[in-house]
Amino acid sequence: MPLNYSAAHSSRITKKPLRPPRLKRSATSPFTSFNQRKPIQRSKSKPESSTTQDEEEDFFGERLDDLGLVMTLAMDLNLRDVAQIVQYAIGHMFDPLPERGGFNSTRIAEILNFRKSLPATVSVSHVHALSKSPTATEREISELIKAGVLLKVVIPGRGTGGSAVGEGLVLFKDLEDMLKRSDIVDDGLREKFLTHLHIHPTQSSIPPITLFPTELSPLKRAGFLTTTTQAPTSDLLPSTLFSTSIPTISRAPSGSLAAIGGPTALTSAGATPTLRPTNNTTTPPHHLSLPNMGPYLRLLTTARSHLLSLLQKSRFRELPLYLLRERWDGGISDSIDPAARAKRVGRGEFIAGGGLLLPARTKKWKGFCGLGFEWVLAESLGAGLVEVFETGSVGMGVRVV
């Protein structure tokens, strides 16, 4: 049998004929034939707010040019003395309510009542920020106090270091108006209180013997007097500072109190201690104050902290003055400056709902009732928290000290 024969010729096994190749693109990957679908484009649930972008973005990648410090913010040439500076600072503390700010009648009433309840006073640091010479200003303040034009209000225990408020100034005629509007202080007590202030204008505190206890109580309830209480101390030193052990006594210098066991030696031996109170238990003097001074100081300190936080968000903790003012206003000025509103619309800075952010929703009006930027800047500059300098290219700049 020839070897060239095989079972393939004799069997009935047949192979399917090859079909002609279809016209299709050459595949370079084995996954090309798999079914593919386009990814689903999901819409963002919350669009990014333009205000948040402005706060997080640093427009200046390097430090601003410093051509010299600005020592005063006095832009009004009509301010010639300290009394005019005090009146100017009180009158320009708040910005006017915008006509289309998004406020309802209840919120407008709350803002106006809060502004009306604040005392007509200004800190000494604010006056220095608006004056040209600190030495001449201090001399003029002393002369006006002696003449009975100004009164100094001491504010103890409010803030620490450079952030402390320290002292405030009030015009004598404004104090008279506050006393007349008070329903708690009668006419006789008001005249007696004002007479004492006229006779002793440089005293920031009133001894308890000046007025009777029945006269001090209405003045304290009305907010015109306040006291600083301290815990009484004694001449007996704490026993934890000394020890009556033999090694401690042997190492103590000869002739010192520790060489005999300290002041607690008799007590440790079983004697009964006796306390000698010091003179701190006497009645403390009453300091001059103003009604609603607490809300005023709270507004002042929180506003300065917010201004510093806006500067600290920048890379070098400094910003141009115009940009810092814009961020203080919440990044909007649509109802006050139409040109600025048109620029923001042109940049596409919108919030959810397709409209610009209303002033009523900004921190300036929600938390500070429209406190002016220039007023807060003067407070921070006078307290030494910030510095204002000339840049030469973008106007004045502000940085954290």
Side-chain angles (χ1 to χ4, degrees), residues 12 309 336:
R12 297 182 179 274
S309 66
I336 301 175

Side-chain angles (χ1 to χ4, degrees), residues 223-235:
F224 293 99
L225 289 180
T226 182
T227 55
T228 304
T229 58
Q230 297 179 354
T233 58
S234 62
D235 291 339

Side-chain angles (χ1 to χ4, degrees), residues 67-271:
L67 302 182
L69 295 177
V70 178
M71 304 308 297
T72 178
L73 297 178
M75 302 300 177
D76 193 351
L77 300 179
N78 296 325
L79 302 178
R80 295 184 299 270
D81 55 5
V82 175
Q84 290 183 353
I85 294 177
V86 172
Q87 292 178 342
Y88 177 84
I90 295 173
H92 294 77
M93 184 175 180
F94 294 98
D95 290 341
L97 281 167
E99 297 180 359
R100 294 170 295 175
F103 303 97
N104 54 21
S105 58
T106 304
R107 181 55 182 165
I108 293 175
E110 292 176 355
I111 292 176
L112 296 179
N113 290 332
F114 177 77
R115 294 181 177 183
K116 186 178 179 181
S117 64
L118 294 180
T121 182
V122 63
S123 63
V124 177
S125 59
H126 194 123
V127 175
H128 282 291
L130 297 180
S131 59
K132 298 180 180 180
S133 175
T135 305
T137 301
E138 283 293 337
R139 188 183 303 112
E140 186 178 356
I141 290 175
S142 301
E143 294 176 356
L144 292 177
I145 290 177
K146 292 179 181 179
V149 179
L150 287 177
L151 287 174
K152 184 174 289 187
V153 180
V154 181
I155 308 170
R158 177 67 66 165
T160 57
S163 62
V165 179
E167 298 174 342
L169 297 176
V170 58
L171 294 173
F172 201 91
K173 61 178 183 179
D174 291 339
L175 179 61
E176 291 180 352
D177 295 338
M178 296 180 198
L179 286 168
K180 292 179 181 178
R181 292 195 301 265
S182 177
D183 299 332
I184 303 177
V185 181
D186 56 8
D187 296 339
L189 180 58
R190 181 178 67 250
E191 294 298 331
K192 185 176 181 179
F193 183 61
L194 292 176
T195 302
H196 174 78
L197 295 179
H198 271 297
I199 298 175
H200 307 282
T202 58
Q203 291 184 359
S204 59
S205 60
I206 299 177
I209 60 175
T210 304
L211 300 173
F212 294 103
T214 56
E215 297 174 337
L216 293 174
S217 180
L219 291 174
K220 290 191 292 185
R221 286 189 289 113
F224 293 99
L225 289 180
T226 182
T227 55
T228 304
T229 58
Q230 297 179 354
T233 58
S234 62
D235 291 339
L236 187 61
L237 298 177
S239 60
T240 56
L241 299 178
F242 299 93
S243 176
T244 56
S245 61
I246 295 178
T248 304
I249 296 176
S250 61
R251 289 194 299 267
S254 178
S256 63
L257 186 63
I260 59 174
T264 59
L266 297 178
T267 307
S268 302

Side-chain angles (χ1 to χ4, degrees), residues 47 49 51 55 98 100-104 107 111 306 327-332 334 350-368 370:
S49 174
T51 305
E55 292 178 352
R100 294 170 295 175
F103 303 97
N104 54 21
R107 181 55 182 165
I111 292 176
H306 179 59
R327 292 188 178 185
W328 172 266
D329 294 336
I332 61 166
D334 51 339
F350 293 93
I351 62 171
L356 285 172
L357 184 65
L358 294 175
R361 300 181 59 183
T362 60
K363 188 176 181 61
K364 172 184 175 180
W365 291 97
K366 291 176 63 176
F368 304 127

